Amino acid sequence: MFLLAMPAIAQQAVEPPKEKPSVEQTAPRPPEIQAVETAIRKSDFADARRKALALLDGKFAKRDPKAAAYAAYLLAQSDMYAENWKDLYDTLFKRADTVIRNLDQRRADEFGLLLADAAGRTGRVDEQDRLLDLHVETVARRSGEDSEAAFNARVDAAYSQLTAKRPEIAEKRLFATLNAMELVGRADLFFNTVGQAGENFRRFAGADTAQRIFQRGLDSKLMETDTGPGKGFLMFNVGVFLCGDKNYDEAIKFGYQALTVLADHFGMGSVEVLNAYDGLAQTMHAAGQLASAEAAYQYIYENGLKSLGEDNADLWRIMNNRAAVLRSLKLPAAALEFDKYAYDKRYKAFGGGANDTVISAMNMAHDLFEAERWKDAKAALASIGRIVAQPGFNPNYRRQTERWQAYAQYRLGERKFSKKEIQSRDTTQFTDGADIEQSLSFLGLYADEAEKMGRNEDAEAYREHAVATAREQLGEAHPMTFEAELLLARLQQKADAKAAIDTYRKLDAVMFDWARSSVSASGSLRAGQAVRILADDMLGSLAEFATRNSDAAELFASALDNWKTLTRGTERQLRVEAETISDPQLRDLIRAYFSDFGRFREIVTATLYTEALAPQRQAMEDARKALNAELEKRGGAPVQPWIKSAIEETGPVARPAQGDVIVDLAVVSEWPADRGGSPSKYRIFAAISRADASAEVVEVDAFDPRDGKAEPTSGFIEKLAKIVGEAAKGAKALYVIPTDFLYPLDFAELRSTGGKRLGELVDVHIATSRQAYQFRAKEDRPSAGDGILLAGGLAYNDDGSTYLPGSRDEVEKIAAIARGKNLVVRVAEGKDGSEAAMRAATGGKAILHFSTHGFFMPGEGLSARLMNAGFELSGAKLSDEPTETDDDNIVYARELLSWNLRASQLVVISACDTALGDIGVTSTVRGLPLALSVAGTRRTLLTVEKVDDAATVQFMARFYENLLGGDLSYADAFVKTKRDAWAGQIDGFPAALTSAYILFEH
């Protein structure tokens, strides 16, 4: 059976030591033999040699020659482990014939190979070749020249020459063996040999030799003719080799090819495929593609549980490797969950001293350090230290454990650095030979201690060293590098603001590109959460700096707009072109690309990509290619694929016009050290922009959601009203860009202490981005001849008896107003407003108005799929499990992503809770506002709470009267309608209800 050679690519605590072949137990063994076996198991090879030697001659050998031969075999194995090749040869060569004659066939073959190894490693090359030729001839005579045993004997002979530092001779012998295998069509054996030989030759002869071996396999005619799984295993091993050579793109390509072959042969739930998928995920991890690796592990874990069961050693290894990815994503609480599970299972199965159990324990200590649980980490290390101090454990275990123990002592204050040690800037006692996680931990420790001593220059040197180390080993786009750079920027704020701003600017650019092109395309919700936390750390630090530095304030304002929209500069420029160009064809191509791109991005941001999404991905690519073809005709630069775009530093955002003020709000979460559960604090900042002044950043408030204050309190509302009111003084119009839980807030209703509503003092508008403000005047009012679709009085059951009476009155009143202004009106009532009919009818309409039932269902799973919000149409069929189909006549937010609303200037969902949504992990609130914007509409009029059916009729009728009768823009008509309500001028509509309705500019 083939074995997948999987080196420890994942960032695990330690590399496992080489496993020793088990000493086969055949009872009964003489006590003297058992004593030798016990010494070998304890790795006390000197004792094993002494005891075995005593059994080779004398009374024991005469009494039981077969047991004496077995003692010689054990002595050879013990000397091999201890690498006592000279002693092995000198002691056993002259006894070889007697020993081999009294051993069983398998052990006799192994003993002969060990003698050949010893001859080669002690410089007796002619003797080695003689012994190897004899071994090969013996096996071929016994089993047949073309047998698997004979071919394996030839391969073993090549390995013996290889380990004796004779790579050229070994390579020739190997290639001759491969040629013979190919000639007789032994495909499985051929591919298996190539895979294992490539790795072995890489270790002992270098990458060039390994590459020749792998290329020999790939060039074989068996790659074309064989229908078995062998070539899949070969492709996997080629991928592992390329990963070790840091050729990650090619490694991942081979990994996917291997998966395809193995899945076709064994099935997706097989251990072979899951192990291959694990190897691919580890390659992604090594390549820094952490989001893709975590998405892969989510799939592997779920399928592994189903097919292998939870009591499976392969699954435990996969869980440890997944934890390593989560730790790299800076999610130690999540990593600890998987590491502890694997540890508990391994402890129960293998015991606390087993190699695999120790690996899980060491990984748990890593997680505890990342979570800043110093005491728990120290306690875990104490147990590990006692185990790895025993003979036979890899010395790397001991060294790594000792370093971590020292780290814990410093963090707990049990040890302290002297001033001289900090000034030396020498960390080699802890970082030489350490892995990247330990190195960065100690560099951070030294920097922290330097800052405590007030030695900021030394601290900066340590921080810069950490950044350089992270970049060199992990690359720029990695959470560990981000963390190192953020710590450097925070330190630079104290003495060199310009340097700090430069560091923030570069950090923001790389982190944003990583989040947008890698994480947002992965479909991993955990990776999305990691991005949210990393962005919160960076933006929170920058915002605090921006409250006292105007240049930092400008950077924060532009970075904030990027993160809230996940839009980069090249896409902003595309929208500028779409809004300003006179060519309708190019404009439509740009907007079509934005819709298809936005739809695919929003789906895969939080749900795993599968082949079911291939049509959406293809639509995005088709739209991009069509756009590029037109751009090429005009000499324009092509739009790059989403996940391959170049890194761009953030540029200036749209400035307000004279008389306007923009208040862009940010909710920045502070997270506990373990990154688990919920934020420990919400901090709210306002980035205020005016036409003739630098940006200003103000901290509005902060509160702890763990105290039951997850929603804005009255005290917070008062602070927000005061800051926004101060910003709006002297302005004609205030544009608020909300975020997170501030989306449902009606800013026009805010009152500073006992005063008037803000909307009575200034025109208050809600925009979803800076570009929404920039192009607010585009198509800002309907014209004669424009189409309007009105759906109301819809029959929710088959006989038409259940409908909202007020909704019929609503659309009929609006229809009368619209016809009076020469709009082309289509009304859907009763059974005419099915989902399929309404989807088809939206095309080309300037206004879409749905008066019906709406809903919002909070929940992570529904939010990830954008099935958490929607509205009902004719014949609506409610279900416990929402699905994407027109047959249910329920329009979910996810379905709206595929509606073509690019011609619509305004979409009104006159129903309950239609503006509500869940807070997204990387972008804005996930619900109807997001979906309608992606689908292409410029504006939406939605509700943030339950609304009264009869009162809504009056409010909406007055809105359309103001819009069509007063030649006002949509935004101005909405402002006027609210003021009419506040003044008591809308019959049947209480002023208190106005806060339910919000108009968003997209």
Side-chain angles (χ1 to χ4, degrees):
M1 176 152 181
F2 279 48
L3 297 176
L4 291 171
M6 292 193 182
I9 302 170
Q11 298 285 334
Q12 294 188 349
V14 289
E15 292 183 3
K18 297 176 184 176
E19 289 190 13
K20 306 177 188 67
S22 61
V23 178
E24 190 171 308
Q25 302 281 347
T26 57
R29 299 276 196 220
E32 297 91 339
I33 293 293
Q34 292 181 33
V36 178
E37 292 174 332
T38 299
I40 291 176
R41 277 194 290 271
K42 290 182 175 181
S43 300
D44 192 346
F45 304 125
D47 187 44
R49 163 168 263 278
R50 181 179 58 79
K51 289 176 176 175
L53 267 175
L55 305 178
L56 299 187
D57 299 307
K59 294 180 181 179
F60 183 85
K62 288 180 181 179
R63 184 176 73 245
D64 193 343
K66 289 187 180 298
Y70 183 59
Y73 168 80
L74 292 176
L75 175 59
Q77 287 213 336
S78 178
D79 283 345
M80 175 192 69
Y81 296 141
E83 299 190 6
N84 293 329
W85 297 106
K86 185 176 185 303
D87 291 343
L88 190 161
Y89 186 87
D90 291 345
T91 304
L92 297 174
F93 179 71
K94 292 180 180 179
R95 306 172 189 266
D97 289 343
T98 302
V99 172
I100 290 172
R101 194 166 50 246
N102 283 287
L103 286 173
D104 62 73
Q105 178 181 301
R106 178 179 66 80
R107 291 194 180 93
D109 289 344
E110 290 178 8
F111 183 82
L113 276 174
L114 285 172
L115 278 180
D117 288 345
R121 293 189 186 216
T122 55
R124 299 173 175 90
V125 294
D126 291 339
E127 185 62 32
Q128 181 185 38
D129 290 343
R130 186 187 71 80
L131 289 169
L132 291 174
D133 290 342
L134 179 62
H135 171 68
V136 170
E137 290 168 9
T138 300
V139 175
R141 228 177 11 251
R142 184 173 67 228
S143 304
E145 189 173 343
D146 295 334
S147 67
E148 181 174 341
F151 282 128
N152 283 336
R154 295 171 68 174
V155 173
D156 288 339
Y159 289 159
S160 182
Q161 291 171 323
L162 174 67
T163 56
K165 299 182 180 178
R166 304 174 67 196
E168 295 85 1
I169 299 295
E171 186 179 353
K172 288 180 182 178
R173 188 185 286 264
L174 175 70
F175 270 72
T177 306
L178 292 174
N179 292 341
M181 290 178 184
E182 184 181 54
L183 187 64
V184 298
R186 298 298 298 265
D188 284 359
L189 190 59
F190 174 88
F191 289 126
N192 190 37
T193 301
V194 171
Q196 293 179 349
E199 175 59 22
N200 287 327
F201 274 76
R202 183 194 64 78
R203 285 192 351 224
F204 289 97
D208 290 343
T209 306
Q211 186 169 355
R212 289 195 295 272
I213 294 170
F214 282 124
Q215 195 60 52
R216 172 67 182 86
L218 296 173
D219 291 341
S220 171
K221 64 181 181 181
L222 295 174
M223 288 292 290
E224 298 296 328
T225 60
D226 183 56
T227 58
K231 59 187 176 185
F233 289 107
L234 172 60
M235 289 172 180
F236 173 85
N237 286 304
V238 171
V240 171
F241 165 72
L242 291 168
C243 179
D245 211 29
K246 297 189 176 181
N247 188 350
Y248 298 123
D249 288 344
E250 285 297 303
I252 290 171
K253 183 181 77 172
F254 274 99
Y256 276 119
Q257 290 174 345
L259 270 180
T260 301
V261 174
L262 296 174
D264 287 345
H265 192 83
F266 296 108
M268 284 302 293
S270 66
V271 67
E272 292 85 359
V273 168
L274 293 173
N275 284 338
Y277 218 148
D278 178 36
L280 175 61
Q282 290 186 57
T283 301
M284 292 172 174
H285 185 187
Q289 298 179 17
L290 304 182
S292 297
E294 164 54 19
Y297 273 123
Q298 177 67 26
Y299 176 86
I300 298 166
Y301 173 65
E302 291 175 355
N303 283 272
L305 272 179
K306 293 176 185 176
S307 60
L308 305 180
E310 62 179 22
D311 293 321
N312 181 277
D314 286 306
L315 183 67
W316 306 336
R317 184 200 66 248
I318 287 167
M319 293 174 78
N320 261 162
N321 288 340
R322 183 181 188 185
V325 174
L326 292 168
R327 196 162 51 249
S328 289
L329 284 166
K330 312 302 291 183
L331 296 173
L336 183 60
E337 175 187 344
F338 286 99
D339 278 328
K340 187 176 186 307
Y341 186 92
Y343 172 81
D344 289 342
K345 290 290 186 180
R346 285 173 165 174
Y347 187 93
K348 183 178 179 180
F350 309 134
N355 178 67
D356 285 351
T357 309
V358 171
I359 289 175
S360 288
M362 188 69 82
N363 285 338
M364 287 170 59
H366 271 221
D367 302 332
L368 293 168
F369 277 125
E370 283 289 319
E372 298 182 8
R373 292 169 57 180
W374 315 124
K375 288 184 179 180
D376 292 337
K378 181 185 175 184
L381 287 167
S383 299
I384 296 169
R386 288 191 292 270
I387 295 170
V388 301
Q390 299 174 16
F393 268 93
N394 188 326
N396 286 334
Y397 278 69
R398 290 194 291 275
R399 287 193 290 271
Q400 190 173 45
T401 302
E402 288 164 0
R403 282 192 291 261
W404 277 130
Q405 286 173 326
Y407 182 78
Q409 290 165 351
Y410 281 112
R411 285 300 187 189
L412 289 167
E414 297 169 358
R415 291 174 64 176
K416 294 185 183 297
F417 289 112
S418 67
K419 184 177 179 182
K420 183 177 179 181
E421 286 177 302
I422 293 297
Q423 286 177 302
S424 73
R425 301 185 183 180
D426 181 6
T427 65
T428 53
Q429 64 171 320
F430 296 118
T431 55
D432 272 8
D435 63 22
I436 182 62
E437 289 175 298
Q438 276 195 332
S439 294
L440 293 178
S441 294
F442 274 103
L443 288 168
L445 172 66
Y446 274 84
D448 290 346
E449 293 302 310
E451 286 193 60
K452 289 177 185 176
M453 293 179 184
R455 302 198 60 81
N456 287 346
E457 288 187 9
D458 291 325
E460 187 167 2
Y462 288 121
R463 298 288 188 213
E464 288 174 343
H465 189 179
V467 170
T469 300
R471 284 178 176 171
E472 179 183 0
Q473 296 195 38
L474 303 170
E476 284 191 321
H478 194 285
M480 293 186 193
T481 309
F482 300 153
E483 184 177 62
E485 290 178 334
L486 180 56
L487 290 170
L488 174 61
R490 287 172 176 168
L491 178 60
Q492 289 171 330
Q493 290 175 199
K494 298 178 181 179
D496 191 344
K498 184 178 183 302
I501 290 170
D502 287 343
T503 301
Y504 275 120
R505 190 184 307 279
K506 292 172 184 174
L507 171 59
D508 170 71
V510 178
M511 188 189 295
F512 177 77
D513 180 77
W514 175 76
R516 183 184 180 282
S517 60
S518 174
V519 176
S520 296
S522 71
S524 166
L525 187 59
R526 282 191 189 268
Q529 291 167 338
V531 166
R532 177 78 188 222
I533 293 169
L534 289 165
D536 278 337
D537 287 348
M538 187 270 294
L539 289 172
S541 183
L542 178 56
E544 190 171 359
F545 183 31
T547 60
R548 56 184 186 274
N549 183 289
S550 60
D551 291 333
E554 291 287 349
L555 176 60
F556 176 74
S558 56
L560 178 61
D561 193 55
N562 281 357
W563 283 100
K564 287 167 74 169
T565 61
L566 280 184
T567 303
R568 65 171 79 242
T570 51
E571 285 150 4
R572 284 195 177 85
Q573 187 54 43
L574 262 183
R575 178 166 180 182
V576 170
E577 194 162 355
E579 299 287 9
T580 57
I581 198 167
S582 59
D583 183 345
Q585 181 182 4
L586 181 57
R587 179 176 65 246
D588 292 345
L589 286 170
I590 293 172
R591 297 192 70 189
Y593 169 69
F594 277 147
S595 290
D596 289 330
F597 160 64
R599 173 181 60 180
F600 184 74
R601 183 186 72 184
E602 293 305 331
I603 291 174
V604 299
T605 290
T607 54
L608 186 65
Y609 176 81
T610 65
E611 283 305 306
L613 297 178
Q616 289 93 325
R617 180 170 187 164
Q618 190 59 51
M620 174 182 69
E621 279 302 294
D622 290 345
R624 185 179 68 85
K625 290 174 182 176
L627 173 58
N628 282 345
E630 191 63 27
L631 290 171
E632 185 179 357
K633 292 178 186 177
R634 303 162 182 270
V639 176
Q640 296 300 316
W642 171 24
I643 61 173
K644 294 183 179 178
S645 302
I647 294 172
E648 300 175 7
E649 290 188 4
T650 185
V653 291
R655 277 283 181 197
Q658 285 292 337
D660 291 350
V661 172
I662 297 175
V663 176
D664 198 350
L665 293 165
V667 175
V668 177
S669 301
E670 290 187 357
W671 295 82
D674 68 2
R675 305 316 208 210
S678 301
S680 56
K681 183 187 289 186
Y682 289 124
R683 299 179 71 186
I684 296 87
F685 293 90
I688 303 168
S689 299
R690 300 176 177 85
D692 50 4
S694 298
E696 176 188 4
V697 175
V698 179
E699 184 165 7
V700 178
D701 198 7
F703 55 88
D704 186 345
R706 296 172 299 184
D707 292 337
K709 300 174 182 176
E711 298 297 329
T713 63
S714 58
F716 164 74
I717 298 298
E718 289 174 4
K719 292 176 183 178
L720 180 63
K722 181 178 179 182
I723 287 172
V724 175
E726 288 292 326
K729 280 185 178 177
K732 180 181 182 302
L734 170 68
Y735 289 82
V736 179
I737 306 175
T739 189
D740 283 31
F741 55 75
L742 298 178
Y743 255 86
L745 187 62
D746 185 356
F747 287 85
E749 295 277 355
L750 292 180
R751 301 172 188 256
S752 46
T753 318
K756 288 187 174 182
R757 297 180 181 88
L758 188 59
E760 295 176 285
L761 303 174
V762 63
D763 292 350
V764 178
H765 306 284
I766 306 299
T768 54
S769 68
R770 295 274 179 156
Q771 280 205 313
Y773 167 80
Q774 184 179 359
F775 298 111
R776 64 199 180 281
K778 291 289 182 178
E779 299 177 351
D780 67 340
R781 66 199 69 203
S783 303
D786 282 346
I788 178 171
L789 172 65
L790 300 166
L794 301 174
Y796 301 120
N797 63 352
D798 291 337
D799 63 12
S801 60
T802 57
Y803 67 95
L804 285 171
S807 69
R808 175 172 290 175
D809 294 343
E810 183 177 324
V811 297
E812 289 179 352
K813 283 190 174 185
I814 297 169
I817 298 167
R819 289 189 182 102
K821 296 299 177 180
N822 297 319
L823 269 65
V824 178
V825 178
R826 173 175 173 177
V827 176
E829 295 180 338
K831 298 180 181 181
D832 295 337
S834 69
E835 187 171 348
M838 293 299 92
R839 181 199 293 266
T842 57
K845 304 291 191 303
I847 300 174
L848 308 174
H849 187 110
F850 299 94
S851 180
T852 181
H853 287 300
F855 59 86
F856 167 66
M857 303 177 292
E860 186 176 274
L862 293 173
S863 170
R865 295 162 50 210
L866 276 173
M867 302 294 279
N868 58 338
F871 55 94
E872 299 177 22
L873 293 175
S874 299
K877 300 179 183 69
L878 296 173
S879 170
D880 292 336
E881 184 58 37
T883 57
E884 286 185 84
T885 173
D886 285 353
D887 294 340
D888 62 2
N889 295 307
I890 298 175
V891 184
Y892 293 97
R894 185 183 179 105
E895 294 177 294
L896 277 173
L897 293 174
S898 62
W899 285 34
N900 182 356
L901 305 182
R902 295 190 290 276
S904 65
Q905 300 169 11
L906 173 69
V907 174
V908 182
I909 314 292
S910 180
C912 298
D913 299 334
T914 53
L916 301 182
D918 291 299
I919 297 173
V921 291
T922 55
S923 54
T924 187
V925 173
R926 295 178 69 77
L928 288 176
L930 169 67
L932 291 164
S933 174
V934 169
T937 186
R938 288 189 175 276
R939 294 165 198 88
T940 52
L941 201 171
L942 307 170
T943 65
V944 295
E945 56 190 64
K946 304 294 182 186
V947 291
D948 180 76
D949 188 29
T952 298
V953 175
Q954 306 307 319
F955 183 88
M956 290 297 175
R958 179 58 62 89
F959 168 70
Y960 281 98
E961 289 171 357
N962 288 333
L963 173 68
L964 300 174
D967 192 29
L968 298 177
S969 68
Y970 296 107
D972 289 341
F974 184 72
V975 169
K976 186 176 187 310
T977 303
K978 285 214 165 191
R979 287 175 175 164
D980 289 347
W982 293 331
Q985 296 174 2
I986 304 178
D987 292 338
F989 186 86
L993 298 183
T994 56
S995 61
Y997 306 91
I998 297 184
L999 179 77
F1000 295 99
E1001 295 276 355
H1002 301 294

